[in-house]
């Protein structure tokens, strides 16, 4: 193993030992002996199979496994609409193996693409915690021997994992839906967005471009949080190998869903190959996830989600762990917004299996994790195909099929990964540099302070943003307003950078995987509402951000200043926000995963 990867792994194991040992003991205590439903009373069991139709005899008198399906299906969102027929397919496959399957429950799946720049976005991050709770409620019927989870996007997959880890004595597999076929080129879409931001394209022209990009069932094809989720599931061994980027509605996709059903049944405690989630998601699996995030230039949202997911498994990881890992991990992929290709092009060029094999050969990934497929990570690093309708796997190509999209470890796009952690007198922050040209990774410029993304939009529309500056957007942290995405700023800042201005963003909010080519120091902690230094910055203060060296600072004396923060009360009602007050009060810092679930209960 690479010595840095090995050292970080050992540190995580040591710092997690008390909480990890306690978690594993709880999971061992919960381990099933015989079918889960056999422990139910007659009244409990009768309720559980009352509406089960042809599966009722097996659920009543049989001894086969019963698989719980937790689904994020809805037919509004392209990424989750393909899940509609999955339960029927899963039930049919289960019956063929003498088992049963039931939809245990559904969880919400909101789309950041729909709520972007609107009030509903302030519920987005908290939806992850709500999904974790919903998953736990679905599985709390305690009638299941294994779990298949149907989810793809942003907060959905992390929430599903967090909830399922409370039931880590069960085997769990994720069955994704896959990306939609490619639409118009991403550069063309971004160009129209920039034209619209400048007032040079009409709303009709912008809508036509967006509709030609987001045009069919499946996940959006850019490499944001949703597709980064799928990467993580492969690197952590929670997919049937190669499931991430197969398009929906294809025979191969159906075959992979069938294989996931068969495998989770084989992994139950009723078989000889019992493999609970608690054993798959160990410290090495989370290190692999951090490596995958760095190597592919994945979404910065996972600097929050990985911390929260790990904590649910009794594992403690920090931004420093991620930073050290990123510095020794080569950047092997260029997928939009870090390049021009989408995930379909990436998959065709060699995809995740190729990247995983390259990293394994370099000793940067842990091979010895227990993947749900029953093999190690080398076994996971394969691509699926159909041979006369029979599902098979093969090794990825020996060489990249498109060096503009994916490369081997011997000739990476960069010798370091796409993420950095920044430290300084403003606090700590995360920056994604995989899409930022080297000449834009450093800035020293005066601050322009705004209390919202809308205020910056107004200044842009009024032609009031000239010269070099660092846009400081504060009051956007998890406690203040739920930490919404600030994608509205991406085209505006891009336009100004293209004009020749040197600009950057500094915020205690989020920017996700679409932060693009402009330097963005995000997730600043402590946030302004917690007396963070970002709340003490004033217009004209010199700000220095050095992404290469991992520093950020304000060149002003803040010792006698108090935090200035706009009234957050308007952000706490309307669009359902009044129902999430307990989340805002309980939420931890960004570096702690911005999670509202980790509250120490007292008597």
């Amino acid at each position: 193993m690479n010595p840095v990867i090995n050292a970080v792994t050992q540190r995580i194991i040591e710092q997690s030992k008390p909480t990890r040992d306690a978690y594993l003991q709880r999971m061992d205590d919960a381990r099933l002996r015989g079918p889960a439903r056999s422990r139910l009373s007659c009244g409990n069991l009768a309720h559980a199979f009352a509406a089960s139709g042809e599966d009722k005899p097996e659920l009543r008198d049989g001894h086969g496994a019963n698989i719980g399906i937790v689904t994020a299906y809805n037919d509004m969102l392209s990424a989750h609409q393909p899940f509609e027929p999955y339960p029927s397919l899963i039930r049919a496959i289960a019956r063929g193996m003498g088992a049963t399957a039931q939809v245990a429950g559904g969880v919400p799946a909101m789309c950041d693409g729909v709520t972007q720049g609107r009030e509903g976005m302030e519920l987005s991050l908290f939806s992850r915690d709500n999904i974790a709770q919903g998953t736990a409620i679905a599985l709390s019927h305690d009638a299941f021997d294994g779990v298949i989870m149907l989810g793809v996007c942003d907060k959905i997959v992390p929430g599903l994992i967090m909830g399922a880890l409370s039931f880590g004595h069960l085997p769990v597999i994720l069955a994704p839906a896959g990306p939609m076929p490619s639409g118009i080129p991403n550069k063309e879409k971004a160009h129209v967005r920039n034209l619209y931001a400048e007032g040079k394209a009409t709303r009709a022209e912008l809508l036509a471009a967006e509709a030609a990009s987001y045009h069919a069932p499946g996940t959006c094809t850019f490499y944001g949080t949703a597709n980064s989720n799928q990467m993580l599931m492969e690197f952590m061994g929670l997919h049937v190998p190669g499931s991430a980027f197969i398009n929906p509605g294809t025979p191969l996709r159906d075959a992979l869903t069938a294989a996931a059903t068969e495998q989770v049944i084989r992994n139950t405690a009723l078989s000889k190959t019992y493999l609970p989630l608690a054993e798959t998601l160990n410290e090495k699996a989370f290190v692999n996830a951090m490596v995958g995030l760095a190597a592919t230039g994945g979404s910065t949202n996972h600097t929050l989600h990985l911390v929260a997911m790990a904590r649910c498994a009794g594992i403690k990881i920090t931004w420093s762990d991620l930073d050290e890992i990123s510095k020794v991990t080569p950047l092997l992929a260029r997928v939009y917004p870090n390049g021009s290709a989408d995930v379909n092009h990436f998959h065709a060029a060699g995809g995740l299996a190729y990247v995983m094999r390259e990293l394994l050969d370099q000793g940067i990934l842990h091979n010895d994790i227990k993947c749900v497929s029953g093999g190690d990570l080398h076994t996971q690093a394969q691509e699926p195909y159909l041979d006369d309708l029979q599902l098979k796997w093969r090794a990825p190509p020996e060489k990249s099929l498109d060096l503009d999209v994916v490369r081997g470890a011997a000739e990476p796009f960069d010798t370091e990964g796409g993420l950095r952690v920044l430290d300084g007198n403003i606090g700590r922050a995360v920056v994604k540099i995989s899409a930022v040209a080297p000449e834009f990774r450093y800035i020293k410029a005066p601050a322009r302070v705004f209390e919202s993304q809308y205020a910056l939009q107004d200044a842009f529309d009024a032609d009031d943003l000239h010269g070099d500056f660092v846009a400081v957007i504060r009051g956007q942290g998890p406690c203040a307003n739920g930490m919404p995405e600030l994608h509205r700023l991406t085209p505006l800042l891009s336009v100004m950078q293209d004009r020749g201005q040197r600009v950057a963003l500094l915020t205690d909010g989020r920017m996700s995987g679409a932060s693009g080519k402009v330097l963005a120091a995000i997730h600043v902690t402590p946030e302004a509402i917690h007396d963070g230094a970002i709340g003490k910055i004033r217009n004209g203060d010199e700000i220095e951000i050095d992404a290469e060296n991992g520093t950020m600072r304000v060149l002003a004396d803040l010792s006698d200043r108090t935090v200035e923060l706009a009234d957050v009360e308007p952000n706490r009602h309307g669009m359902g926000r009044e129902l999430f007050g307990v989340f805002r009060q309980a939420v931890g810092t960004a570096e702690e995963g911005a999670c509202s679930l980790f509250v120490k209960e007292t008597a």
Side-chain angles (χ1 to χ4, degrees):
M1 286 298 299
N2 176 285
V4 173
I5 301 295
N6 191 56
V8 172
T9 304
Q10 291 306 311
R11 184 174 70 225
I12 291 171
I13 290 172
E14 291 167 10
Q15 68 196 21
S16 304
K17 192 174 190 320
T19 50
R20 178 65 174 170
D21 285 351
Y23 171 78
L24 291 175
Q25 185 60 57
R26 292 197 303 272
M27 295 306 103
D28 188 64
D29 291 343
R31 180 175 175 173
L32 303 175
R33 305 296 193 273
R37 62 190 180 278
S38 66
R39 300 181 297 179
L40 301 180
S41 72
C42 292
N44 296 150
L45 184 57
H47 276 288
F49 64 63
S52 295
E54 63 183 285
D55 290 325
K56 186 181 290 189
E58 176 60 32
L59 286 167
R60 175 173 178 159
D61 301 315
H63 301 283
N66 186 34
I67 305 303
I69 304 167
V70 181
T71 178
Y73 162 74
N74 63 57
D75 64 7
M76 175 187 178
L77 304 181
S78 63
H80 294 89
Q81 185 272 344
F83 287 131
E84 184 173 15
Y86 274 39
S88 295
L89 174 60
I90 291 167
R91 281 191 286 264
I93 297 300
R95 289 176 192 130
M97 296 186 67
T100 54
Q102 296 176 291
V103 174
V107 297
M110 68 175 291
C111 179
D112 291 0
V114 177
T115 59
Q116 203 60 255
R118 302 187 57 77
E119 291 86 350
M121 172 56 76
E122 295 178 20
L123 303 184
S124 174
L125 181 58
F126 290 147
S127 77
R128 178 197 65 187
D129 300 356
N130 178 269
I131 290 163
Q133 294 171 325
T135 301
I137 290 169
L139 298 179
S140 67
H141 294 102
D142 200 24
F144 307 109
D145 305 289
V147 184
I148 290 182
M149 300 197 295
L150 310 181
V152 177
C153 286
D154 299 301
K155 317 309 169 294
I156 291 87
V157 168
L160 288 170
I161 294 294
M162 290 164 67
L165 279 165
S166 291
F167 297 81
H169 61 288
L170 297 175
V172 175
I173 288 181
L174 280 94
M180 67 179 68
S182 299
I184 64 170
N186 287 305
K187 278 189 174 181
E188 182 179 339
K189 176 182 65 177
H191 177 64
V192 177
R193 285 179 174 178
N194 286 354
L195 289 176
Y196 182 75
E198 295 181 274
K200 298 177 181 178
T202 66
R203 176 181 169 86
E205 290 169 330
L206 178 62
L207 181 57
E210 299 286 1
S213 176
Y214 309 118
H215 64 98
T219 315
C220 307
T221 58
F222 75 95
Y223 195 51
T225 312
N227 287 315
S228 296
N229 278 337
Q230 305 315 302
M231 174 276 298
L232 292 178
M233 296 304 101
E234 296 279 344
F235 274 71
M236 299 172 90
L238 287 173
H239 277 172
V240 171
S243 296
F245 298 141
I246 305 299
N247 300 127
T250 62
L252 181 55
R253 171 53 69 198
D254 288 345
L256 288 165
T257 304
T261 306
E262 295 168 349
Q263 190 61 39
V264 76
I265 293 170
R266 286 192 288 265
N267 290 351
T268 68
L270 304 181
S271 73
K272 296 180 180 179
T273 54
Y274 174 54
L275 182 56
L277 178 64
E279 291 186 16
T280 295
L281 287 189
N282 62 13
E283 296 90 340
K284 291 181 178 181
F286 278 99
V287 169
N288 285 351
M290 290 188 278
V291 169
L293 191 64
T296 60
S299 168
T300 53
N301 272 328
H302 287 297
T303 64
L304 309 174
H305 299 327
L306 282 173
V307 174
M309 287 191 287
R311 189 165 175 179
C312 289
I315 297 169
K316 296 180 179 179
I317 61 176
T318 68
W319 283 357
S320 295
D321 298 325
L322 178 59
D323 192 51
E324 289 183 43
I325 287 171
S326 185
K327 287 177 179 176
V328 298
T329 301
L331 181 65
L332 302 185
R334 286 279 190 206
V335 191
Y336 187 81
N338 309 320
S340 59
D342 67 20
V343 293
N344 292 312
H345 303 139
F346 169 63
H347 181 71
L352 293 175
Y354 178 83
V355 170
M356 290 165 68
R357 189 193 63 201
E358 289 292 305
L359 295 169
L360 281 165
D361 289 348
Q362 295 294 312
I364 300 175
L365 285 173
H366 292 287
N367 181 49
D368 57 336
I369 65 170
K370 297 181 179 180
C371 300
V372 294
S373 62
D376 56 19
L377 201 61
H378 267 296
T379 306
Q380 187 76 17
Q382 299 184 82
E383 56 182 37
Y385 69 102
L386 290 179
D387 180 8
D388 194 23
L389 299 182
Q390 183 178 357
L391 179 62
K392 294 183 178 180
W393 283 267
R394 60 192 171 206
E398 285 298 315
K399 295 182 179 181
S400 169
L401 301 180
D402 189 338
L403 290 173
D404 291 331
V405 179
V406 62
R407 294 187 180 181
E411 48 179 355
F413 292 104
D414 199 323
T415 56
E416 299 184 22
L419 297 172
R420 296 283 191 283
V421 175
L422 305 179
D423 282 287
N425 63 357
I426 305 173
R428 278 163 72 81
V430 172
V431 61
K432 179 177 177 179
I433 63 170
S434 51
V436 179
E439 62 267 28
F440 294 118
R441 295 178 183 178
Y442 173 87
I443 190 170
K444 185 177 180 181
R448 289 291 303 269
V449 180
F450 302 93
E451 305 300 335
S452 73
Q453 58 185 323
Y454 312 109
L456 189 148
Q457 174 82 61
D458 291 342
F460 180 86
D461 292 342
D463 195 26
D464 190 33
L465 297 175
H466 301 285
D468 300 345
F469 66 93
V470 176
V472 179
I473 315 290
R474 60 200 185 187
Q476 308 301 307
C479 184
N481 67 351
M483 208 177 188
E485 300 271 17
L486 304 175
H487 284 184
R488 175 184 289 265
L489 305 178
T490 302
L492 308 182
L493 295 171
S494 297
V495 165
M496 287 183 281
Q497 183 168 286
D498 290 344
R499 289 174 180 170
Q501 295 173 252
R502 295 190 68 84
V503 295
L505 174 66
L506 179 73
T507 182
D508 49 10
R510 292 188 294 127
M511 198 67 157
S512 183
S515 50
K517 63 187 182 183
V518 176
L519 183 64
I522 61 176
H523 304 177
V524 170
T525 183
E527 62 176 291
I529 204 171
H530 285 162
D531 204 35
I534 189 173
K536 300 177 182 180
I537 295 172
R538 306 290 187 260
N539 279 318
D541 286 347
E542 203 83 41
I543 305 288
E544 183 181 49
I545 301 173
D546 187 343
E548 294 286 8
N549 292 304
T551 62
M552 64 175 185
R553 59 183 181 142
V554 53
L555 304 178
D557 183 3
L558 306 182
S559 58
D560 293 330
R561 295 185 186 177
T562 57
V563 168
E564 288 185 357
L565 189 64
D567 182 14
V568 297
E569 186 58 32
N571 300 94
R572 297 188 166 178
H573 55 80
M575 206 59 65
R577 288 174 290 179
E578 58 272 17
L579 303 177
F580 286 78
V582 66
F583 286 66
R584 288 188 292 270
Q585 289 182 3
V587 71
T589 68
E591 190 164 8
E592 295 170 327
C595 187
S596 63
L597 303 179
F598 306 132
V599 177
K600 187 175 181 179
E601 296 182 271
T602 57

